[in-house]
Amino acid sequence: MSTIREKRQKKLVNQEEIKEKEKEIEDFEQDSDQMNLIKRMNRIIGQVQGVKKMIENERACVDILSQITAIKSALDGVAMAVLEKEAEQCFQNVVEKNPQSKEQALKDFISLIRKYGK
């Protein structure tokens, strides 16, 4: 028969194991998010290089502008992904560390969005 102390120690160990697993999952998700952004940026770099070649080869203006529009759209998508991640981290940190500073964190985030939106 287990003593109360042994049960508490087991519970403590289980909680620590759970926290470690949650951290591993979080790290994996961050690595995965980062890899996705890097892949997207590599595609954009390829598109930019393609536009450079189009200009060098004197391709039609409409074709070049079409590709530039696609690049801008792709960059906007990356920027939004970065903003979303920032929002998650910013507000998660506020809730965990200092719930009283929610208003300031929200103001800071809105300011960031306004700067990006220009």
Side-chain angles (χ1 to χ4, degrees), residues 36-48 51 65-83 116:
N36 286 335
L37 286 175
I38 290 170
K39 286 178 185 177
R40 289 170 77 173
M41 288 304 300
N42 285 335
R43 271 189 240 118
I44 292 167
I45 290 168
Q47 285 178 296
V48 170
V51 168
L65 291 175
S66 175
Q67 287 301 308
I68 290 172
T69 301
I71 291 167
K72 289 169 65 174
S73 177
L75 281 171
D76 285 343
V78 170
M80 281 310 231
V82 170
L83 274 173
Y116 168 71

Side-chain angles (χ1 to χ4, degrees), residues 77-100:
V78 170
M80 281 310 231
V82 170
L83 274 173
E84 287 173 12
K85 192 66 175 173
E86 175 63 20
E88 290 172 10
Q89 291 174 345
C90 176
F91 292 109
Q92 185 177 24
N93 288 340
V94 167
V95 169
E96 290 174 357
K97 294 180 181 173
N98 188 1
Q100 290 78 21

Side-chain angles (χ1 to χ4, degrees), residues 91 102-112 114:
F91 292 109
K102 277 193 290 190
E103 287 182 34
Q104 184 59 45
L106 182 59
K107 286 179 185 176
D108 292 345
F109 185 70
I110 289 171
S111 174
L112 183 64
R114 284 189 177 136

Side-chain angles (χ1 to χ4, degrees), residues 2-46:
S2 297
T3 66
I4 293 174
R5 183 181 182 137
E6 288 173 342
K7 288 181 182 178
R8 285 184 184 159
Q9 286 177 335
K10 279 185 180 181
K11 187 175 181 180
L12 204 73
V13 168
N14 287 339
Q15 288 174 343
E16 289 175 5
E17 288 175 356
I18 290 170
K19 286 181 182 178
E20 286 177 21
K21 291 293 181 190
E22 287 174 346
K23 178 73 172 131
E24 287 175 18
I25 291 169
E26 183 179 315
D27 289 345
F28 175 77
E29 288 173 349
Q30 286 177 347
D31 289 346
S32 178
D33 289 344
Q34 185 178 24
M35 288 304 298
N36 286 335
L37 286 175
I38 290 170
K39 286 178 185 177
R40 289 170 77 173
M41 288 304 300
N42 285 335
R43 271 189 240 118
I44 292 167
I45 290 168

